[in-house]
Structures are given as structure tokens and as C-alpha cells.
Amino acid sequence: MTTQEALQQYFGYQTFRPMQQEIIAAVLDGKDTLVLMPTGGGKSICYQIPAIVSKGTCIVVSPLIALMQDQVQALQTSGVAAAFMNSAQDERTQAEVRQQLLLGKLKLLYVSPEKLLTQSFLELLNMSQISFFAIDEAHCVSQWGHDFRPEYSQLQILKEQFPGKSLIALTATADKVTREDIITQLHLTKPAQFVASFDRKNLRIEVSEGTNRLKKIISFLKAHPKEAGIIYCLSRKSTETLCEKLAEKGHNVGFYHAGMSPEERARVQNAFLKDDIQVMCATIAFGMGIDKSNVRFVIHYNLPKNIEGYYQEIGRAGRDGLASETLLFYSYRDVQTLKGFIDQIPNEQFKALQEAKLERMKQYAEAQTCRRKILLSYFGEVLENDCGYCDVCENPRKQFDGTILAQKALSAAIRTKEEVGLNLLIDILRGARNQKVLEKGYHTIKTYGAGKEVSAFEWKQYLQQMINQGVLEVAYDQHYALQRGGLSQAVLQGKKKIFLVKPQRFKAKTTSSKTALQPTLFDELFEKLRKLRKQLADEQRMAPYLVFNDATLTEMARERPTNQAEMLTINGVGHRKMDLFGTYFLEEIQQFIKEKTLAGKQVGGNTYQITYEMLQQGLGLQEIARKRNYSLQTIQNHLVTLYEKGHNLPLADFIHADEVNTLVHYWKKHPQSTMKACFEHFQERFNYFKIRLSQAIWLKSKPQLK
Ligand code: ADP
Ligand code: ZN
């Protein structure tokens, strides 16, 4: 069997993702291999396919028992002979697995590092036919990584005891030190190294002020009904309080943190995996074991400690490649709290490192430029253009001259002897008459009330920006008092202008109006398939996303296959899953088509029709493309075709009347022109979509020749 056939037959995918094929080739070539890919990038297939097509058993070292079970179940459901072994299993089960291994019946055996390192297991391996070793979450070998596990540091034993066997190490942690460390610790010899792009294009990135968080979350959840998501909180306590508040509002929520009993943790995690709990409020203890592919959003209630952690956490959204949301709340208070934790670190060098990392995190959260660019540059990648899919790109910031505000703030700070913190300074600037102000007599200073016209909310943002620019400084050792920064002199003397950015008001990005409007045929069928999936999953006692993931379900609802052959062309429908579940889904789809046809609707998987319906719902082209998992270009083509077929479309939304005039004029003069010639004629001023659309408009308006 070729690797391509294995991909199709077992996983139901038609094509490899970037790099998967090269990695698989290297592994099959017997090379040691190091793979760096972001969470959700598709690492598993890189060792699973070589394991399937090789002789013998691949031994996979994986740190978490829960994850192991999931992966093995997923493989078995796809028809791959896989098993796992760990110390939590009873002796009989372990004996069975041992037997299967010795008889050469397994393609993959997952094992925890503790188990692997036992003398008895190593002896067992010596008696078995091993194809190669795979080390998942390989960054756990490194003390520099953020997830060091002592057992992992003994894995060099594999190369010592099985020098002839190759080893593939996989991780989503990208930094260089960790990478080098993995190679050294595992004794990899001249490994082939693969570093995939860390850009997760399907994740929308947003950072919002950490004010009114609860209200914002509630409006966010309203815009994302029925979608699974994680809300990360800094403290155990806050996971519980947030959970309670959301439950009061009728949301289906749970909480998770390391202070709970192992049984309780396992129970809620399982409920989340099975779609029984929709939203999980959790500390970062809820993490590595979450392989669930249909997590549609990740919210950070608090600022994370560093960018690595943040990126890994948001990476848990949208593993299936469908559009997913990430939202980070940023508050100054969180920075203070995190600073407090760092202050307690005894080792000076480590402390300095953590401080620097927190600083980068803070800069990211406050940035007014494309966020994805910043993130990727952190991982050493350059993004040529702004991403267009983060809050800054969607809402470019406007700057204004804030020199006078800066002077007022500085003057107030100086007149209070540089002893007051952020909030009190705002009270003074706004002329608040509260006890603290009156007690100290701050209401008598000259700048008292000098900044009345600016809201407290805005002052907070502006002071923050002034701190970042060096106008003010925070004295961390003096109760966070605001003091003169390096630029203060120049600003006060009017020698330096300061530019500030007006804060953006949060509006929960709603795929919005959709909830209010009629669901499309696509939505309706997707919902039916989702229910069916849940029912089948419950019967099989497995997580719904292991039956089929959201991407597969989306494709089914879009393509509406009506027979087995068509069903097998859907991404994610392999042979085994076709046998297990395919028929049920086919029946559901046929039933749906029948009902709709009876009701006089045109269905039968007409892709243009679906786009048309969505346009009528008021969705934009980008939104339709994301929702349907098509490229924007495809949807633009649909639009032109629909127009040509005589559908009534709000053309003004897509092209300006002046542009139509200019372009139609061009077509009249150059009826034989190609798109490309037109594109070049206008020196790339109009994109191809507008060019095509204008041509269609022109062709329609042209008097028909007899
Ligand atoms: P990682 O371990 O890197 O976080 P996974 O191996 O879990 O990622 O893969 C993430 C998702 O992508 C899974 O749902 C997987 O089935 C899917 N996937 C992997 N490779 C492909 C492919 N070639 N085509 C389509 N989907 C894929
Ligand atoms: Zn951007």
C-alpha cells in the first residue's frame, strides 16, 4: 500500500497537507526526524502513516493517558490496529496488549514514558518487531520548554538500546533552544528537521480591553450558540465564579482546574469531549489532553504569562481547519498579578527570562499593528502582508495628537510627588471627590479635574500607552506609583509630540444576524447531521468529533452526497468509517433532500444555490467562504455565475458604480480583451473579481445580436 492510499483508505483525506509527505518520506527512509508544527497542523499522520505501511510496530511515547486513549480510539475507528499501554491499566489488559505486540498484530502501540522505561517493557520490546519510535510532545524533554517532564529526560535510553531504529520527535513548541535540546537529549543522529509554518490561518485573533469581561463574554456566547469553546482563567477560583455566572445566564458550562479530584477532572473533561458541556472555564491545567477538533473558540479571561503558552492555547481552537475565534482580554491588573508571581522566583536568571517574556506578551496585547505579524515574528516567521483576520486589520487604528493629555498626566503625577498609582491618578485628573483624593488633599492641586472631558476608561488606555512610550514609568517597587519616564522632560517642554490611539469599543464579532435570520439549507442539514453524530457517538461511547469532525460534517452538508461512492469523496470519510457510520449519514441526507424537494425547494447539492441563499441572509463573501470552507475566490466566482444566471444580487455591495462605469467602458472599447490584459491596462487597480463581474455586467447590457 502506498502512503497516498493509506491516507485515503484510513483517514479519508485526498491530499497531504504541506510537509506531511516529505516528513513521511524521511521516516520511511529510516532517518531520525524532528518535526515542528503548530497545534492542529497535522502531526499525528506524520508517524501514523509510516507506521501503517511499515512492517512491525511503531512505539509511540505520549505523555498523557487521556490523550493516548483518544488517539487509539480514533485509530481503531479508522480501522488501524492500535493499542496503548500504561500503568493505570489492569494486569489482564496489559497482558492482552503484550500478546498482540508479540504476535505482530499492532501497527501502533502508545505507551507512557514511565511504562516505557520499566525493565520489563524494554525486554518486551527486545522480543518484538519494532518499526520505529515516535516521541509525541517532544518538548517535554527540555527544561527550557514550558512543560518539562522528568521521565522524558531518560528517553535517550531508546537510542542506546535500539541503535538501529529511527526515531521521530514531534512538538508544537518552536523556540530554538528547545529544539536543540530535543536533539541532544534524545541523541538524534543528523536528524532531518522540518519546521512548518506556524500560521494558523483559520484562527481569527482579537484582543479586547479587560473591562466588562463578563458582559462581553455573554454577548460573545450569544453570537456563537451551540459552539464548543474554552475560557482560560488565571486562578482556580475565577474558573468557578465565571462558570457559575454563565450558568446563571443559562449557558451549558463546566469548570476545570488542578485543585479538583482526578475523578472529577476526568468527568468534566469527558463531558466536554462528548459535547455534553459546551463551554469550559479552566486554568491552563486544561490543555494538552484536549485533542477535540471542534473547539470553535478560545477566550483568555486573563493575560497569559508568555506568547508560547498563549499561542499553544489558542491553537486548541479550530484543529479541524474551520474558521474559529480567539479572544484575549487584556488588563493592566493582570500584568501586575503576573509580575507578582515572577517576583517570587528565586533564580535571578530565570526570573529575568520570565520578565522579558511577560513584557513581550504585554507588548503584543497593546499592539496597534497586525497581531498575526507580531505572533509569527515571535516564532521567527515573516508575514509579508497584514493578515486581514485580526481585530487590528479589521479595524485599523486612528492616531491623534495626545501631547496635551500627556502633559496633564505628567503634571498630575509630579504634583502628587510621584506617589500615586494608575487609578488614583485618573481620579485626580477627572476630579473625583472620593475619600482617597480628599484625605491626601489632592483636590487642591492645580491639575485636579484637568482631564474631566476624558472618560476613566479612556484615561486608562491613554496612560497605558504613555507608559509604553516612555512618558511615564511604573515604579514596581513603590506600589506601582506612576513616575516620570525618559520622555517626560521633552513632553513637558513641548519638544516632543505624543500620539495616542483611541480605544476600540468591543463588539462581539457576530456571524451575527445569522441567529436572527432564517437558517439556510446548509445550516439546517448541518444541525441534523450534528445531532445524528452525537447520537451515534453516545451509542458507541465515544466523542462525537471522533465519529466525523466538523470539517467533514460541513463538507457533507455542503455537498450532500447521495450514494456510497460520493460519500467516500468527502474529506474524512475513510473506508472503515464508511462502513461504521456512512449509511446513517447517507440516509439522513436523502431524507433531508426528499423533504425539501417536497416542500418545493431546489436542493440536490447545488453549490451556487447555497451561496445565493447565504447572500440573501446578508452574509458577506468572506463570511460565506469561511463558513463553507471555500476560498474567497470560489465564492466570488459563484457570485458572478449567479449574476449571469439572472439572480437578483446587491451588486453595489461588491463594486462601486464608478468602477462599473470605468470597467464597462473598457470592455466596450476592447471586447476581445482578456482579464489579464484588463488587469494590466489599469495597472492592477481592479482585482480579478471586479474585472470578471464588470465583464458580466457589460455582456448583459450589450444588445443581443441576432
Ligand atoms: P496536531 O497533532 O499537529 O495538533 P493532528 O494530528 O491532531 O494535529 O491533526 C489536526 C487535524 O487535522 C485532525 O483533525 C486531522 O484529522 C486533520 N488532518 C491531518 N492531516 C490532514 C490532511 N492531510 N487532510 C485533511 N485533514 C487532515
Ligand atoms: Zn492582522
Side-chain angles (χ1 to χ4, degrees):
M1 182 185 273
T2 65
T3 55
Q4 180 69 40
E5 285 162 355
L7 182 71
Q8 246 154 354
Q9 165 157 355
Y10 292 101
F11 300 96
Y13 299 134
Q14 319 301 321
T15 49
F16 284 105
R17 288 202 183 143
M19 248 177 227
Q20 284 178 330
Q21 210 159 9
E22 292 91 319
I23 297 167
I24 291 169
V27 174
L28 288 175
D29 212 18
K31 289 194 184 122
D32 282 348
T33 312
L34 176 62
V35 175
L36 269 70
M37 244 186 217
T39 315
K43 284 187 284 297
S44 327
I45 276 180
C46 298
Y47 61 84
Q48 287 167 348
I49 291 205
I52 291 170
V53 302
S54 296
K55 263 214 169 104
T57 307
C58 166
I59 307 296
V60 187
V61 183
S62 171
L64 286 173
I65 293 177
L67 198 66
M68 217 181 276
Q69 278 170 346
D70 259 22
Q71 291 199 313
V72 168
Q73 197 173 28
L75 283 168
Q76 288 172 344
T77 316
S78 299
V80 181
F84 64 88
M85 210 192 265
N86 58 50
S87 323
Q89 284 169 313
D90 60 48
E91 191 39 50
R92 224 185 91 201
T93 319
Q94 292 194 36
E96 273 169 28
V97 176
R98 216 173 287 138
Q99 199 60 24
Q100 287 177 308
L101 176 67
L102 287 170
L103 291 174
K105 292 205 165 145
L106 296 174
K107 283 292 167 197
L108 295 114
L109 175 60
Y110 285 72
V111 56
S112 60
E114 307 79 79
K115 185 78 203 171
L116 177 88
L117 293 165
T118 58
Q119 200 50 44
S120 61
F121 191 83
L122 291 169
E123 275 163 23
L124 175 68
L125 289 186
N126 266 316
M127 292 185 285
S128 326
Q129 188 181 9
I130 309 295
S131 51
F132 61 94
F133 292 98
I135 316 287
D136 205 3
E137 312 285 359
H139 60 277
C140 294
V141 303
S142 172
Q143 307 226 24
W144 293 102
H146 50 88
D147 212 358
F148 174 61
R149 287 171 184 245
E151 318 83 63
Y152 259 68
S153 62
Q154 293 167 51
L155 290 177
Q156 82 268 15
I157 205 168
L158 290 177
K159 274 286 168 186
E160 286 162 16
Q161 297 216 359
F162 306 91
K165 298 289 170 196
S166 64
L167 198 155
I168 172 172
L170 309 103
T171 176
T173 300
D175 76 83
K176 232 180 168 154
V177 192
T178 312
R179 196 195 314 176
E180 294 299 322
D181 220 14
I182 293 173
I183 296 176
T184 324
Q185 301 276 340
L186 292 176
H187 294 196
L188 301 187
T189 34
K190 292 201 192 133
Q193 297 193 41
F194 296 91
V195 184
S197 165
F198 270 64
D199 192 2
R200 294 279 314 279
K201 292 187 172 52
N202 61 321
L203 299 185
R204 182 173 170 276
I205 304 175
E206 171 155 1
V207 180
S208 168
E209 305 303 337
T211 45
N212 292 322
R213 283 179 274 202
L214 183 63
K215 229 169 103 188
K216 289 174 186 171
I217 290 176
I218 289 169
S219 89
F220 181 96
L221 293 181
K222 212 166 160 188
H224 298 267
K226 296 192 188 141
E227 294 183 359
I230 306 173
I231 307 178
Y232 281 112
C233 306
L234 195 54
S235 73
R236 296 175 181 182
K237 184 88 184 55
S238 55
T239 63
E240 295 186 20
T241 30
L242 180 62
C243 176
E244 198 177 316
K245 285 184 185 145
L246 293 176
E248 271 169 24
K249 294 278 171 190
H251 291 287
N252 177 8
V253 268
F255 65 85
Y256 183 107
H257 57 68
M260 296 154 60
S261 70
E263 298 76 35
E264 188 54 16
R265 267 184 288 162
R267 189 188 67 77
V268 288
Q269 169 161 341
N270 204 27
F272 181 68
L273 295 182
K274 298 209 159 144
D275 292 350
D276 289 329
I277 289 178
Q278 187 204 336
V279 179
M280 196 70 122
C281 306
T283 61
I284 53 170
F286 188 64
M288 237 174 20
I290 310 307
D291 228 7
K292 180 178 162 97
S293 69
N294 62 332
V295 174
R296 293 268 70 88
F297 63 85
V298 169
I299 297 177
H300 281 88
Y301 193 86
N302 302 99
L303 191 77
K305 290 203 288 277
N306 54 49
I307 290 185
E308 287 96 329
Y310 166 68
Y311 203 64
Q312 197 146 47
E313 281 139 30
I314 62 172
R316 296 193 179 115
R319 275 176 187 250
D320 50 19
L322 296 184
S324 306
E325 294 277 331
T326 77
L327 172 60
L328 163 69
F329 289 115
Y330 169 61
S331 82
Y332 187 61
R333 220 199 154 80
D334 287 345
V335 178
Q336 292 181 356
T337 311
L338 291 168
K339 277 234 162 77
F341 293 154
I342 293 175
D343 282 344
Q344 289 161 20
I345 298 174
N347 177 328
E348 283 305 321
Q349 198 193 350
F350 193 58
K351 184 161 146 181
L353 180 69
Q354 299 307 314
E355 264 168 10
K357 288 191 167 186
L358 177 59
E359 186 57 33
R360 290 289 293 271
M361 187 70 226
K362 184 171 144 246
Q363 285 167 358
Y364 164 78
E366 287 166 353
Q368 306 294 342
T369 53
C370 174
R371 302 211 188 268
R372 200 176 310 263
K373 264 195 174 161
I374 304 178
L375 287 173
L376 290 177
S377 85
Y378 186 84
F379 295 116
E381 244 178 89
V382 180
L383 192 63
E384 288 292 332
N385 297 311
D386 285 355
C387 77
Y389 203 33
C390 72
D391 61 303
V392 181
C393 283
E394 288 168 359
N395 225 334
R397 310 304 199 229
K398 286 193 197 72
Q399 289 197 331
F400 67 93
D401 184 344
T403 312
I404 292 184
L405 291 182
Q407 287 167 343
K408 285 180 181 173
L410 269 174
S411 152
I414 294 166
R415 282 168 207 276
T416 50
K417 304 202 188 71
E418 302 182 272
E419 278 173 359
V420 309
L422 189 100
N423 288 321
L424 187 50
L425 194 74
I426 294 174
D427 284 346
I428 296 166
L429 283 163
R430 291 195 21 87
R433 298 194 69 81
N434 60 33
Q435 201 186 350
K436 260 194 185 154
V437 172
L438 300 178
E439 240 168 41
K440 289 270 195 174
Y442 291 143
H443 59 297
T444 61
I445 67 171
K446 198 172 156 212
T447 25
Y448 178 71
K452 257 204 276 304
E453 73 285 1
V454 176
S455 72
F457 170 78
E458 286 176 329
W459 263 122
K460 216 175 205 170
Q461 308 312 313
Y462 296 152
L463 289 175
Q464 193 60 52
Q465 293 173 25
M466 291 176 204
I467 294 167
N468 290 333
Q469 296 184 38
V471 177
L472 289 162
E473 227 170 67
V474 184
Y476 292 105
D477 50 350
Q478 292 166 49
H479 306 286
Y480 301 96
L482 291 185
Q483 306 188 341
R484 272 174 276 196
L487 280 186
S488 59
Q489 197 69 2
V491 171
L492 283 171
Q493 292 170 351
K495 285 186 189 150
K496 166 105 186 119
K497 278 193 174 180
I498 293 300
F499 288 93
L500 300 173
V501 173
K502 238 180 144 47
Q504 301 283 319
R505 285 284 169 186
F506 174 86
K507 41 182 188 329
K509 173 135 197 290
T510 50
T511 348
S512 64
S513 35
K514 103 173 168 203
T515 32
L517 290 163
Q518 281 279 322
T520 58
L521 288 177
F522 169 84
D523 290 330
E524 250 182 86
L525 180 55
F526 183 84
E527 189 51 28
K528 281 194 179 240
L529 298 180
R530 208 172 64 89
K531 287 207 172 111
L532 172 64
R533 172 175 74 175
K534 172 73 178 139
Q535 186 194 333
L536 291 170
D538 284 349
E539 281 167 16
Q540 305 285 324
R541 293 164 177 270
M542 61 197 289
Y545 72 92
L546 291 180
V547 173
F548 289 124
N549 70 20
D550 278 9
T552 303
L553 234 51
T554 301
E555 207 175 313
M556 277 188 209
R558 184 177 82 202
E559 304 296 334
R560 297 170 198 159
T562 48
N563 58 47
Q564 185 157 341
E566 283 173 8
M567 191 60 138
L568 278 169
T569 66
I570 302 284
N571 262 303
V573 183
H575 290 193
R576 171 81 182 186
K577 284 197 182 173
M578 180 68 226
D579 290 346
L580 284 175
F581 310 115
T583 338
Y584 299 104
F585 284 85
L586 275 176
E587 275 170 15
E588 189 76 41
I589 294 166
Q590 278 159 347
Q591 181 64 26
F592 179 81
I593 294 176
K594 206 159 119 199
E595 275 170 26
K596 291 296 162 188
T597 314
L598 285 180
K601 296 221 172 164
Q602 188 194 356
V603 263
N606 184 335
T607 186
Y608 300 109
Q609 182 65 24
I610 298 167
T611 297
Y612 183 57
E613 283 168 24
M614 292 172 104
L615 278 167
Q616 283 182 314
Q617 309 273 310
L619 298 189
L621 297 183
Q622 280 282 11
E623 258 174 313
I624 299 177
R626 290 217 173 87
K627 254 191 105 174
R628 298 193 58 195
N629 213 14
Y630 274 139
S631 73
L632 176 64
Q633 210 185 352
T634 304
I635 300 299
Q636 290 173 336
N637 288 340
H638 286 182
L639 185 112
V640 175
T641 309
L642 285 164
Y643 175 76
E644 286 166 349
K645 286 186 173 172
H647 284 79
N648 189 12
L649 298 167
L651 288 188
D653 289 358
F654 311 111
I655 187 166
H656 195 272
D658 290 344
E659 297 176 314
V660 175
N661 284 339
T662 312
L663 285 163
V664 167
H665 182 72
Y666 172 88
W667 290 116
K668 274 187 192 150
K669 276 181 76 178
H670 311 92
Q672 305 296 335
S673 163
T674 60
M675 306 266 166
K676 188 153 181 277
C678 176
F679 185 66
E680 281 161 8
H681 176 87
F682 289 106
Q683 292 171 351
E684 311 187 1
R685 195 167 90 206
F686 300 107
N687 62 30
Y688 276 97
F689 169 52
K690 288 186 177 169
I691 293 173
R692 259 204 81 187
L693 191 57
S694 65
Q695 192 190 33
I697 294 172
W698 165 65
L699 284 171
K700 257 203 184 168
S701 66
K702 214 168 59 161
Q704 297 292 315
L705 297 171
K706 289 267 157 70

